[in-house]
Amino acid sequence: MGVDYYSILNVAKDASDDDLKKAYRKLAMKWHPDKNPNNKKQAEAKFKQIAEAYEVLSDPQKRGVYDQYGEEGLKGQVPPPPGAGGAGFANSSGQNVFRFNPRNAEDIFAEFFGGSPFAGMGGFGGMGGRSGLNLFGDGMFGGFSVAENKHGSAGEGTSTSAPRKASAVETKLQCTLEELYNGSTRKMKISRNIADASGRTMPIEEILTIDVKPGWKKGTKITFPEKGHEQLNVVPADLVFIIDQKPHDVFKRDGNDLIVTQKVPLVEALTGCTVSLTTLDGRLLTIPCSEVITPGYEKVVHKEGMPIAKETGKKGNLRIKFDIIFPSRLTSEQKVSVKRLLGGG
């Protein structure tokens, strides 16, 4: 049978359209050449193979030929299935045979993602002849260029029906816990094509402003409608930024609460201690703990957690956990004293 398209996409032979789409999305994102700059040749080969497998298996006609005759059937070495005809079949010595010409892999990718979210990776303005910022970078500006979607040109995929909406382009927006506590303004530079009435396109650059609200959580989505490429018969893709939270050295977040772990010697756990913390907005908190601290105990400080985004002025709690430090050894005299003090003898 030659190439096993089902194995390439890691799907079963009875895979549905949804199964094929999910498999293609996952593998195409993994093997896009722009995401694999250190292994570009292998990535290009894999990327083309994945696109070809999806193109064949997602088309009932091509899939029928492939299932019956294998890769040889797609190359026109055997007749097409009964009743097949039209585009893709050509006369050869008076007999209809199937002729499969794979589409450009980037065109198929663009149909799914509205363009390549990895294109334009090369710095703020013109590094290596590309525009846009590294999609995965940090700093005041971050951004990306969306690769041109050419599927609207002559050939498969062209449609005269109502314009379809290109799939949304999603990317993570890394934020510190301080940014999510206090709020911040982030600016993202994007490069995209706009089209005139004749369909001619020209590249432009835009700065998108994102106002990160206090209390936003990981997974919050910010959508810029129709900021993908413009082209005939296609409604531009939405650009979607998804909040992701960077790890913090001191605090962990649990919903609207903040958690901190404080080390205390055993003697202070038994006799009392004071916890000093610098909050995410720079205030110094001094929290007295006069109670006996036992393993698993939490000290709750109300309204010192994260702001609650949908309830202005309200906050979650600060939860202090304790890591009790036991002495590594005690002298005989100390053991006797401890027993006497704690009523053990």
Side-chain angles (χ1 to χ4, degrees), residues 170-338:
E170 297 185 345
T171 186
K172 289 182 179 179
L173 180 64
Q174 295 281 349
C175 295
T176 64
L177 195 53
E178 285 85 356
E179 287 177 310
L180 297 176
Y181 182 94
N182 298 296
S184 67
T185 298
R186 301 287 294 272
K187 294 184 182 294
M188 309 297 290
K189 180 181 178 181
I190 66 167
S191 298
R192 68 191 188 104
N193 293 334
I194 60 172
D196 61 19
S198 69
R200 289 181 298 180
T201 61
M202 62 176 290
I204 63 167
E205 292 182 346
E206 294 183 48
I207 302 295
L208 303 180
T209 300
I210 301 173
D211 291 319
V212 178
K213 305 298 183 186
W216 273 4
K217 297 178 180 178
K218 178 178 180 178
T220 299
K221 293 185 177 184
I222 308 97
T223 301
F224 290 87
E226 300 182 12
K227 283 294 183 180
H229 283 312
E230 294 180 3
Q231 55 187 311
L232 289 177
N233 299 320
V234 178
V235 178
D238 295 341
L239 300 187
V240 183
F241 294 90
I242 305 173
I243 295 293
D244 196 19
Q245 179 186 306
K246 296 180 180 179
H248 195 272
D249 292 338
V250 177
F251 297 101
K252 290 185 179 179
R253 184 176 186 175
D254 182 14
N256 295 318
D257 291 349
L258 287 172
I259 300 172
V260 65
T261 299
Q262 185 79 11
K263 291 181 180 290
V264 293
L266 177 60
V267 64
E268 292 186 12
L270 296 173
T271 62
C273 65
T274 299
V275 176
S276 296
L277 290 170
T278 301
T279 63
L280 293 170
D281 56 355
R283 293 175 293 115
L284 179 63
L285 286 184
T286 302
I287 304 137
C289 299
S290 56
E291 57 271 49
V292 173
I293 298 171
T294 57
Y297 172 77
E298 283 188 4
K299 176 81 172 180
V300 178
V301 184
H302 296 285
K303 299 181 181 179
E304 284 294 351
M306 293 293 293
I308 300 175
K310 295 182 180 179
E311 299 180 48
T312 304
K314 292 189 177 182
K315 291 183 179 180
N317 299 324
L318 171 63
R319 291 154 46 195
I320 305 172
K321 296 184 176 184
F322 295 91
D323 182 6
I324 302 171
I325 304 171
F326 285 78
S328 58
R329 60 182 295 276
L330 292 173
T331 66
S332 299
E333 291 79 7
Q334 288 173 325
K335 290 178 182 178
V336 170
S337 297
V338 170

Side-chain angles (χ1 to χ4, degrees), residues 123-145:
F124 188 40
M127 289 182 65
R130 288 175 163 183
S131 60
L133 282 184
N134 189 332
L135 176 62
F136 306 107
D138 292 319
M140 178 180 177
F141 290 97
F144 53 91
S145 302

Side-chain angles (χ1 to χ4, degrees), residues 90-113:
N91 257 325
S92 176
S93 301
Q95 184 184 37
N96 277 339
V97 293
F98 192 85
R99 300 290 186 189
F100 171 52
N101 296 308
R103 294 172 58 204
N104 185 289
E106 285 287 0
D107 291 352
I108 296 174
F109 188 86
E111 288 183 13
F112 269 79
F113 299 101

